[in-house]
Amino acid sequence: MSVRNETDTFFKGFVGGGWLGGGSLDDEDFFAGQVKFSDTYSEIDGEGSVYVTLDVGQDFEVGYGGNLVISPFVGFNYWQESIDAYGARCNKDQVGGAFCGPPGSTAVPFGTKVINNKSMWSSLRLGTEVTARLFDRVTFRGDAAILPAAYLLNDDSHYLRSDLGPTPNIEDSGTGWGYQLEGELKIDVDDNWTVGAGVRYWYAETGGISEFIESRTEVDLEDFTSERFGVFGNVSYRFSTF
């Protein structure tokens, strides 16, 4: 959705989501000194993503006849991803399989849900949108935004780890940074209807704190990174109100 008034101030935003139908998750655990005592492979089957972006900004025509428009903006992005992982197959670790078993052995059947992970980013966006009319009915639109403040809340649930207590067992939090890039080609079907397709890439990272909820133990979160790349399409209708 995009709305502009007679002073070329605009508000734009979108809401989206998706689901996960497959994939894999490797779960690694370490003793102090970074000795890996467990490394397991699980199959992902379920959950997905939800995201919301809201921006407000101002258009500035810099090309002849409005063919090039630069539009700085400030906004907000919420980005949530959640996965369900099933089963556990042992990978090679550094303690000879003392906790999981020999590499390749199945510790938990793949019909059993073992992990849910839910990461939630809330971010300030500062960026610029560029709109360039390439041909009579073809327009390129791109925007780039820096996320100078990206707050993470990540819930980690290990359903078979009774030593960790009720789920979610571990909560990660921190404030970091990131960036978001987007490019789209749009074709005007007529004076009101437009179709478009494009690509989108998001990146965010942070350090912070990992808290083990049951024991109320906190340790440093050294590095938490999320990336998302995807393609999208849209159909829009433009109202001529002024």
Side-chain angles (χ1 to χ4, degrees):
M1 178 184 70
S2 178
V3 178
R4 284 169 167 79
N5 63 19
E6 64 276 7
T7 65
D8 290 328
T9 300
F10 66 86
F11 168 84
K12 64 184 176 74
F14 59 85
V15 177
W19 62 92
L20 288 172
S24 64
L25 178 144
D26 281 359
D27 183 46
E28 300 177 332
D29 293 296
F30 297 83
F31 288 131
Q34 294 299 292
V35 176
K36 186 194 299 185
F37 69 87
S38 177
D39 186 338
T40 58
Y41 165 93
S42 301
E43 295 179 349
I44 294 174
D45 185 13
E47 298 290 283
S49 62
V50 176
Y51 47 86
V52 179
T53 296
L54 302 171
D55 297 322
V56 61
Q58 183 70 36
D59 289 338
F60 296 95
E61 292 187 7
V62 296
Y64 176 75
N67 287 334
L68 181 62
V69 180
I70 306 296
S71 308
F73 61 80
V74 59
F76 169 81
N77 174 258
Y78 176 78
W79 171 18
Q80 174 184 302
E81 293 190 353
S82 181
I83 61 171
D84 286 331
Y86 291 77
R89 185 172 67 223
C90 304
N91 297 325
K92 184 178 179 180
D93 54 41
Q94 294 176 304
V95 294
F99 292 89
C100 182
S105 62
T106 299
V108 180
F110 284 95
T112 302
K113 184 160 74 170
V114 294
I115 294 175
N116 174 269
N117 183 264
K118 181 183 292 183
S119 60
M120 296 157 280
W121 292 93
S122 300
S123 306
L124 172 68
R125 281 166 47 91
L126 298 175
T128 300
E129 179 181 88
V130 176
T131 304
R133 183 167 291 277
L134 305 179
F135 305 103
D136 181 39
R137 291 184 176 273
V138 179
T139 300
F140 169 79
R141 183 196 62 82
D143 70 49
I146 188 75
L147 311 179
Y151 176 73
L152 167 73
L153 183 62
N154 180 73
D155 289 337
D156 203 20
S157 298
H158 295 256
Y159 295 104
L160 304 185
R161 291 284 302 272
S162 58
D163 58 313
L164 295 179
T167 58
N169 326 107
I170 305 168
E171 185 175 276
D172 304 315
S173 61
T175 300
W177 72 282
Y179 57 90
Q180 299 181 330
L181 306 173
E182 185 172 310
E184 178 187 15
L185 280 178
K186 303 168 67 174
I187 299 175
D188 296 333
V189 178
D190 57 28
D191 290 341
N192 300 103
W193 289 98
T194 300
V195 296
V199 295
R200 182 178 291 143
Y201 176 76
W202 291 351
Y203 173 88
E205 68 171 50
T206 188
I209 296 294
S210 290
E211 180 181 2
F212 291 79
I213 305 300
E214 179 74 3
S215 64
R216 298 187 179 276
T217 301
E218 293 186 348
V219 297
D220 288 338
L221 175 65
E222 295 294 337
D223 181 34
F224 191 107
T225 301
S226 292
E227 291 182 272
R228 176 60 57 191
F229 174 80
V231 298
F232 64 90
N234 65 61
V235 177
S236 60
Y237 183 85
R238 180 169 50 247
F239 294 91
S240 300
T241 57
F242 55 84

